[in-house]
Amino acid sequence: MDETQRLEALRRYEILDTTPEEAFDRVTQLAASLFAAPIAFISFIDAERQWFKSRVGMAVTETSRAAALSARTILGREVVMVPDASEDERFRDNPYVAGTPGIRFYAAAPLLTREGLSLGTLGVVDLKRRTDFSAENCKQLQTLARLVMNELDLKLELNARSRAERDLKLVNELMLAIAEAPSVNTAIETSLMVICQAVGAAHGRAWTVVGRRRHCQLVAAWGRAGSEWAQRLEQQRKAPLTLNNSLVGKVLTGNKRGVVADIAAIGGSFAAARDAAAIGLRAAICVPVRQNNRNFALNFMFEQAPPDIERVADRIEELAEKVRPVLSRKLAEERITLLQSVVLHADDAVMVVEIDDAFPETAGMRIVYASPAMTRMTGYALDELYGRSPNLVWSAEPQAATVAGLYATLEGGQAARLELACGRKNGTNFWADISAVPVADNVTGDRRFIAILRDMTERRRLEQALRQSESTFRLLFSRNPIPMWAYDVESLRILEVNNAAVEQYGYSRDAFLAMTLEDIAPAEPAPPRAGERRVIPAFGRLGFCRHRKADGSEITVDAVSHRLEFHGHHAAIMAALDVTEQKRAEEEIRRAKEAAEAASRAKTELLANMSHELRTPLNAIIGFSEIMQAGLFGPLGADRYDGYVADIRHSAGHLLTVITDILDLAKIEANSFRLEEGVVAPREVIASALRLVKPRADGAGVGLRYDRLHEEVAVKVDETALKRVLINLLANAVKFSAPGGVVVVRSAFDAQGGFAISVSDQGIGMAPEEIPIALTPFRQVNSGLQRKYEGTGLGLPIAKELVEMHGGTLTIDSAPGQGTTVTILLPAARVMAAA
């Protein structure tokens, strides 16, 4: 038998040093009973020791392998039976035979894997000589040994399935994290974080080759916050590693993973390794990843070398391979998103037309896509355009020859550009500059063309106006109520100005004509270098600009510029509408909003401070009233005083509860309430809450019941907060229940794996329109001086806030006269263990 294979099989079963298990204990008890043996055991033989998984009649948990009788049993495949070990030369010198406890009878069956490897033994021992152990008993012992192996195989399969499920969950989390990442770099950082957490690495870095393939540049990184290595991150970004003096460079150039179990050992070869060893890093694994024709290296650093570092490296490569296609998709998504953003937000309209003779009703063409700008341009809704002929957009009949020429050019596989008269849904016309490109799918054979339409109506109108007489242009230009001027595109010198601009800016006409656009626009914070002219767009929407008036003051204008030919100049006409007052009003609105928010914060802080100040004297009142009621310093002297003291204590306690609720609500509103989370069993929290509410329920004649399902569940919550929520819900249920009623606490899982706890009563109930009131702070259903039930109206709102701080929900189901059920649902992410 190959000892290496045997030990590897034993490690694979992961049975050594595990806790006792009932399945194995039942086998040893059965063996002891069946064979009337005082001692029975299941043992496994490691390289140096014998370890007992289950034992009857013995206290020792392990022995050395040299002293183990079973060390001989695992050498064969049959039962080893020794009537008297003291007379057997193989065992007579064994310390457990020659000494204490003085073993005589020994029978054991090897625990064989399907491959025939012996992991250990199932044995029975007696301290007296026995000759009654028959061949049938040996078969029975072998059968029990097979039962042990069946249980081991089942555990192995379950462990493998559990690991597979964990791996699947990890990969799903990795895929989801990458898919939800806003950018490729964030996706890589997320991948590094998930892989580091999966394999126990302290840091992860992603590198690529730059500088004519001479250096390694850091592109993404993740590390535990606060560590010294994380603090060196910016230094690494600015100082790339060299290819020939780093483990990363070796992996990038050789395209083969690098595994270093002891970083200090390679410190003489790589400077980066010396730095890593100096701050306590002990091991490194670097794997190559090729993505979109680029080489990357993922480098993971460990503070302690993994026991099986090669297996960890295999795991990292497996996860990296999972990351690669998703990153490729992420890159493609970024490009698609960019193109989509361009199409959706461009002023020009985009239309995709499918060409197919199977559409005779649309002349063999139909629109299959139109951008939102097409709706703005034509007035047609998108669903009115889809499936229609493009002739709906451009008037085909009056310009039939032009349209036919467009289609012929596209059918010939050539791009075309021309201007066509187009029609809007309301019957008006506009001119469009159309750029059309044919697109053919070589796989499906589909034929399409993409047309980009730019509304040229305004440009054509301006061109027509410019072709009119100079006097007509001056008349229209000079009397326009919008300030306008024409300027040379190259020199930026003002060529003409209208009366509205002279009036708005305060310059005379002659002063305007002696200026350039740079004289009107204030200097930039960082002016261009000497000899350079500041670039000013010659046409299009310029947005909001700062312009200087003749008196030195500045105004904010909304500027638009369009090209035109003016007296032989390549010029543009600019319109500048004064929006200074509008911007000032917007700024005042913003300041008012900030002031309102500051006032709200001040209110919350004042509320919290007042609650603190009120609680301090109340604690003293409650304390002294308790002393007086208990009579610690003698009786009060009259029974009536006892009643008064009880009333003082009750009122002060009620007021303290109110103030505490107000303080907690203020903390929640001020975002200063912090959860102290831990893993707790809900059944214990529910039981504690029931104990605290029981005296109140007994006094009201209301019964309490808990279904005690899902007692094995554990959740990650703030135990105090959860208990407070449950106490509040139970107290409300008792308060609004009639004597003889029953309050029931139930637990359940929802379809997404979330854990729900509900509190149901048979009390007065609420109408649907009253539920929002009950969840509003300081509001109560049936509020007023004559209301029957006292309270502040803070309990349910605070409970709802505490549940939502855990990422959960609080819902109320109620009907008048039928009772109320309040359910809190904790998300599946907070369920740590469940059946």
Side-chain angles (χ1 to χ4, degrees):
M1 179 175 59
D2 190 319
E3 178 67 6
T4 301
Q5 293 180 354
R6 193 190 71 80
L7 293 175
E8 176 60 29
L10 182 58
R11 282 191 289 272
R12 187 170 64 250
Y13 278 92
E14 298 179 353
I15 192 65
L16 291 177
D17 299 313
T18 56
T19 57
E21 297 180 54
E22 184 179 355
F24 296 103
D25 290 342
R26 284 199 298 267
V27 174
T28 53
Q29 291 167 3
L30 178 59
S33 174
L34 181 63
F35 304 120
I39 299 174
F41 61 87
I42 296 173
S43 70
F44 295 94
I45 308 299
D46 201 352
E48 303 293 339
R49 61 172 177 154
Q50 171 182 233
W51 177 79
F52 296 100
K53 172 64 177 175
S54 177
R55 60 196 187 280
V56 173
M58 58 186 297
V60 65
T61 59
E62 63 178 58
T63 69
S64 67
R65 180 169 178 172
L69 279 72
S70 296
R72 290 184 175 274
T73 305
I74 65 171
L75 300 179
R77 302 173 62 89
E78 303 298 329
V79 172
V80 174
M81 192 275 291
V82 182
D84 189 341
S86 65
E87 298 177 356
D88 192 312
E89 63 181 9
R90 296 172 299 174
F91 302 111
R92 66 171 58 138
D93 296 329
N94 185 282
Y96 296 103
V97 175
T100 304
I103 294 173
R104 292 297 176 262
F105 172 74
Y106 168 81
L111 301 176
L112 300 172
T113 68
R114 294 186 179 94
E115 299 82 10
L117 300 172
S118 181
L119 307 181
T121 62
L122 167 64
V124 290
V125 170
D126 204 332
L127 303 182
K128 63 182 180 180
R129 174 185 176 86
R130 287 181 55 174
T131 58
D132 59 343
F133 204 81
S134 64
E136 182 63 26
N137 293 144
C138 290
K139 292 180 179 179
Q140 292 170 342
L141 191 60
Q142 283 183 320
T143 300
L144 292 179
R146 283 194 292 272
L147 287 177
V148 173
M149 284 308 302
N150 288 342
E151 186 66 26
L152 284 175
D153 289 334
L154 177 60
K155 285 176 59 66
L156 181 64
E157 182 179 346
L158 291 176
N159 288 339
R161 182 178 300 177
S162 177
R163 282 193 296 269
E165 290 175 351
R166 288 198 303 270
D167 289 349
L168 179 59
K169 181 180 179 182
L170 175 63
V171 171
N172 287 339
E173 290 177 354
L174 186 59
M175 299 300 107
L176 180 62
I178 295 175
E180 293 180 348
S183 66
V184 173
N185 275 3
T186 305
I188 296 177
E189 289 179 358
T190 302
S191 304
L192 292 172
M193 178 191 68
V194 174
I195 295 175
C196 282
Q197 292 174 348
V199 301
H203 310 286
R205 302 286 186 269
W207 303 81
T208 190
V209 180
V210 295
R212 297 183 180 179
R213 302 188 62 81
R214 294 179 180 177
H215 295 90
C216 313
Q217 178 65 53
L218 182 67
V219 296
W222 181 87
R224 288 199 288 266
S227 63
E228 186 174 351
W229 191 251
Q231 295 170 6
R232 298 191 179 191
L233 181 59
E234 289 305 317
Q235 178 183 353
Q236 288 190 351
R237 293 187 190 278
K238 298 175 183 178
L241 300 176
T242 58
L243 284 176
N244 58 0
N245 192 27
S246 64
L247 174 64
V248 172
K250 182 179 179 181
V251 171
L252 283 171
T253 55
N255 198 31
K256 183 178 180 182
R257 80 184 188 191
V259 178
V260 180
D262 184 3
I263 289 179
I266 64 169
S269 303
F270 302 135
R274 292 195 297 272
D275 293 341
I279 61 172
L281 296 174
R282 296 293 177 263
I285 298 175
C286 189
V287 299
V289 176
R290 184 166 179 80
Q291 184 65 49
N292 289 11
N293 297 321
R294 291 181 62 189
N295 288 331
F296 292 90
L298 306 184
N299 190 28
F300 298 91
M301 313 292 286
F302 298 81
E303 293 175 343
Q304 296 293 334
D308 192 344
I309 194 168
E310 291 292 341
R311 181 174 295 179
V312 174
D314 292 339
R315 176 80 168 134
I316 290 175
E317 283 193 329
E318 177 185 350
L319 292 175
E321 184 62 22
K322 298 290 185 183
V323 169
R324 188 184 60 78
V326 181
L327 285 180
S328 179
R329 179 179 175 184
K330 195 69 181 179
L331 288 168
E333 287 177 355
E334 276 202 349
R335 291 193 293 270
I336 292 172
T337 301
L338 178 61
L339 293 175
Q340 184 181 33
S341 177
V342 171
V343 171
L344 292 178
H345 297 95
D347 290 333
D348 296 344
V350 178
M351 179 173 62
V352 179
V353 178
E354 187 173 359
I355 305 172
D356 195 330
D357 296 335
F359 312 137
E361 67 278 4
T362 57
M365 299 184 183
R366 65 176 182 179
I367 301 171
V368 295
Y369 174 80
S371 68
M374 182 69 75
T375 295
R376 297 192 298 270
M377 190 177 292
T378 66
Y380 290 103
L382 295 181
D383 57 355
E384 293 176 312
L385 293 171
Y386 291 161
R388 303 289 296 276
S389 169
N391 293 339
L392 176 70
V393 177
W394 45 68
S395 305
E397 292 184 3
Q399 45 194 357
T402 304
V403 172
L406 168 65
Y407 293 158
T409 302
L410 295 173
E411 285 279 3
Q414 301 295 318
R417 182 171 182 177
L418 72 167
E419 290 188 8
L420 289 176
C422 300
R424 299 186 181 93
K425 183 179 179 180
N426 60 10
T428 60
N429 295 325
F430 68 97
W431 283 89
D433 180 5
I434 299 172
S435 297
V437 180
V439 179
D441 192 324
N442 296 328
V443 177
T444 64
D446 293 342
R447 295 177 300 156
R448 296 184 177 91
F449 71 82
I450 301 173
I452 301 176
L453 290 75
R454 175 171 294 176
D455 189 343
M456 304 301 295
T457 307
E458 182 65 17
R459 194 193 76 176
R460 290 177 68 91
R461 187 188 68 77
L462 290 176
E463 290 176 350
Q464 184 178 2
L466 288 174
R467 286 193 294 267
Q468 294 176 356
S469 66
E470 180 68 20
S471 59
T472 303
F473 168 76
R474 287 185 177 278
L475 177 64
L476 295 175
F477 178 78
S478 299
R479 295 185 180 180
N480 197 308
I482 298 176
M484 302 171 64
W485 57 83
Y487 63 93
D488 186 278
V489 172
E490 296 179 356
S491 66
L492 303 181
R493 185 172 62 87
I494 296 176
L495 305 175
E496 187 57 271
V497 63
N498 70 354
N499 295 334
V502 171
E503 181 179 350
Q504 175 171 288
Y505 286 86
Y507 299 106
S508 66
R509 172 180 167 79
D510 291 338
F512 251 119
L513 298 180
M515 298 165 61
T516 68
L517 288 187
E518 292 177 324
D519 297 323
I520 295 177
E524 299 278 351
R529 293 190 297 270
E532 292 184 349
R533 177 177 295 276
R534 183 155 50 92
V535 177
I536 296 179
F539 66 97
R541 173 73 183 275
L542 304 184
F544 298 111
C545 308
R546 301 289 295 172
H547 283 182
R548 182 186 294 114
K549 297 173 65 174
D551 60 6
S553 63
E554 293 184 357
I555 59 175
T556 301
V557 298
D558 189 359
V560 180
S561 179
H562 291 279
R563 284 187 180 275
L564 79 162
E565 294 293 326
F566 187 83
H567 293 308
H569 292 276
H570 293 295
I573 185 170
M574 177 176 286
L577 187 64
D578 187 355
V579 294
T580 305
E581 292 302 320
Q582 174 187 337
K583 300 298 287 185
R584 183 180 293 114
E586 291 175 355
E587 179 65 19
E588 290 177 355
I589 292 173
R590 184 187 65 80
R591 291 174 180 173
K593 178 177 178 293
E594 292 177 352
E597 291 174 348
S600 177
R601 289 193 298 270
K603 179 267 295 182
T604 301
E605 292 173 359
L606 176 62
L607 193 59
N609 291 335
M610 288 181 60
S611 299
H612 276 296
E613 294 298 326
L614 290 171
R615 281 208 305 183
T616 301
L618 274 176
N619 285 328
I621 294 172
I622 293 172
F624 286 126
S625 64
E626 288 177 348
I627 292 173
M628 294 168 67
Q629 190 174 16
L632 294 182
F633 302 110
L636 295 178
D639 293 341
R640 181 175 297 180
Y641 290 153
D642 291 335
Y644 291 163
V645 170
D647 290 342
I648 292 172
R649 181 182 176 187
H650 174 75
S651 299
H654 176 69
L655 184 57
L656 180 61
T657 301
V658 172
I659 293 172
T660 300
D661 287 345
I662 294 174
L663 176 60
D664 287 346
L665 184 63
K667 285 182 178 180
I668 293 172
E669 289 182 349
N671 292 323
S672 62
F673 194 98
R674 296 292 179 264
L675 297 178
E676 300 294 335
E677 297 185 1
V679 178
V680 301
R683 61 180 174 82
E684 297 178 359
V685 182
I686 295 172
S688 177
L690 287 169
R691 285 194 299 271
L692 293 174
V693 176
K694 189 175 187 307
R696 188 182 308 180
D698 292 342
V702 176
L704 298 177
R705 194 170 69 207
Y706 173 29
D707 65 1
R708 307 194 69 82
L709 296 176
H710 310 105
E711 290 195 338
E712 75 286 0
V713 175
V715 294
K716 185 177 182 181
V717 295
D718 185 323
E719 181 176 359
T720 302
L722 179 59
K723 184 184 295 184
R724 180 170 182 181
V725 171
L726 291 173
I727 291 174
N728 178 275
L729 300 184
L730 289 167
N732 276 353
V734 170
K735 179 168 66 174
F736 294 108
S737 294
V742 177
V743 176
V744 181
V745 182
R746 297 183 177 89
S747 60
F749 286 97
D750 71 353
Q752 288 72 39
F755 186 67
I757 303 173
S758 63
V759 177
S760 302
D761 63 57
Q762 302 166 342
I764 61 175
M766 293 180 286
E769 63 272 13
E770 294 174 333
I771 293 176
I773 298 175
L775 292 172
T776 303
F778 303 104
R779 297 286 303 278
Q780 278 195 323
V781 179
N782 191 27
S783 62
L785 296 176
Q786 304 301 322
R787 70 186 181 204
K788 178 181 179 181
Y789 304 99
E790 66 176 11
T792 62
L794 292 177
L796 277 177
I798 291 177
K800 181 174 181 292
E801 292 286 351
L802 292 175
V803 172
E804 290 177 350
M805 288 178 70
H806 285 83
T809 59
L810 184 147
T811 56
I812 300 177
D813 183 16
S814 185
Q818 298 181 15
T820 300
T821 297
V822 184
T823 303
I824 60 174
L825 176 63
L826 298 174
R830 289 191 172 274
V831 180
M832 299 293 103

